[in-house]
Amino acid sequence: MVVQQYRDGGGARAARALAVAGVIALMAGCVGGGGGGSDGSGQRAVVAERPFDVLGRAAAVLAEAGGAEARTSMETAAGGTRVTIRGEGAYDFRKQMGRLKVVLPTDAAGADDRRPITELLAPGALYMKNRGAGVPDDKWVRIDTTALEDGNLVTGGVTDPMAAAELLRGAGDVTYAGKSELAGVTVHHYRGVADLNRAARAASPQSRGALSAAAKGFSKDTVPFDAYLDEEGRLRKVRHRFSFASGGREAAEVTVVSTLLLYGFGAPVTVKLPDEDDIFTGEIRQG
């Protein structure tokens, strides 16, 4: 296999484990394919063009495709402990809104009776519903993602699908790793490193606030990735590896690996955001 290497010239505060606390504490204790094949012209377009152009257009291509079904996984490794959170649902890339059901892993005692958490994703906001510490069953919790130190790239246990694609706008040091098959669809594999600041500057207005927050909040402003695009330039799979310092006297590096799978393009996606009366405004216990 011929590997092609490309270069395109390229933080701040430590996240103080906000992301991991959000994934584990907030959710566990507080909130309780369409066919990808095309003719040869599509393949030539993906392979022949500069990788930065292909990756930089990934978010726009998804917006043209409209809705898609999605599966997610987020693996956190810290201090020898590994936790994986999985999600499944659908996302509308035109409206940048989605609905996902997130399943938490079993706890240390082996209990696995936790109800899935319903998450609604919208520009600048994350809504979560589930029984939790002090949150009524019929209420939603709303989080302003532009105020999160990670821009909700990891806090909710799911990387917003559009944000995952927008991160590729900051791609650099890209390697084309060749062609393979994913769920019966031919895909082209790219490896690289995304610069958070560059991605935020190039992102759509709806995603810019959250990505700008992430660029300031992570201790590292570069994010290694593996991206798989089909012959029409649609993102089929992307894996990001986020790293940041946990803070404290003995700061340790925390690694979060977020994976997004997209399929069933063209599927209708309906997302109804909660009414103000359905949003919980009380104090959430950090249990």
Side-chain angles (χ1 to χ4, degrees):
M1 176 182 69
V2 177
V3 176
Q4 304 172 47
Q5 181 76 27
Y6 304 82
R7 292 189 177 275
D8 191 26
R13 298 170 296 140
R16 287 187 237 114
L18 173 63
V20 176
V23 172
I24 298 175
L26 179 59
M27 296 202 306
C30 305
V31 177
S38 65
D39 59 21
S41 61
Q43 178 179 344
R44 286 195 299 271
V46 171
V47 176
E49 294 183 26
R50 296 177 70 244
F52 309 112
D53 295 334
V54 174
L55 296 173
R57 283 202 311 272
V61 172
L62 289 176
E64 292 176 3
E69 296 179 67
R71 290 180 183 171
T72 69
S73 71
M74 184 168 288
E75 184 178 89
T76 302
T81 301
R82 195 174 299 273
V83 176
T84 301
I85 299 171
R86 303 187 186 280
E88 186 170 0
Y91 193 89
D92 187 327
F93 287 93
R94 289 176 184 159
K95 297 180 179 179
Q96 297 194 16
M97 299 175 68
R99 183 184 184 95
L100 297 169
K101 187 168 290 186
V102 178
V103 179
L104 299 175
T106 57
D107 62 21
D112 58 358
D113 58 349
R114 294 175 178 171
R115 294 186 304 174
I117 295 169
T118 299
E119 294 194 3
L120 302 182
L121 306 171
L126 167 66
Y127 299 83
M128 294 191 289
K129 185 177 184 181
N130 191 3
R131 72 179 187 273
V135 181
D137 286 351
D138 61 344
K139 293 293 185 180
W140 293 82
V141 173
R142 183 188 186 280
I143 298 173
D144 180 357
T145 56
T146 64
L148 293 173
E149 288 187 317
D150 73 306
N152 194 35
L153 293 178
V154 297
T155 289
V158 173
T159 301
D160 184 295
M162 186 51 122
E166 297 263 31
L167 272 174
L168 299 179
R169 296 183 187 273
D173 292 339
V174 178
T175 296
Y176 176 62
K179 184 168 62 173
S180 61
E181 192 172 282
L182 178 65
V185 176
T186 298
V187 293
H188 299 274
H189 180 191
Y190 298 89
R191 292 193 184 100
V193 178
D195 183 283
L196 283 166
N197 287 288
R198 194 182 339 160
R201 291 193 299 269
S204 63
Q206 297 95 321
S207 301
R208 193 169 299 145
L211 289 180
S212 295
K216 296 175 182 177
F218 278 101
S219 59
K220 292 184 179 180
D221 56 8
T222 55
V223 181
F225 68 83
D226 285 85
Y228 302 79
L229 288 80
D230 65 22
E231 295 184 348
E232 296 179 38
R234 296 177 302 192
L235 187 65
R236 290 281 181 162
K237 176 181 179 180
V238 63
R239 178 181 292 114
H240 291 102
R241 289 171 292 282
F242 302 100
S243 298
F244 53 92
S246 64
R249 293 183 177 180
E250 297 182 2
E253 184 171 278
V254 177
T255 299
V256 178
V257 179
S258 176
T259 304
L260 169 68
L261 290 171
L262 296 172
Y263 56 100
F265 288 98
V269 181
T270 301
V271 179
K272 183 182 183 301
L273 299 181
D275 296 329
E276 288 297 324
D277 292 342
D278 296 325
I279 298 176
F280 182 69
T281 57
E283 182 177 354
I284 301 175
R285 297 199 300 272
Q286 303 292 322

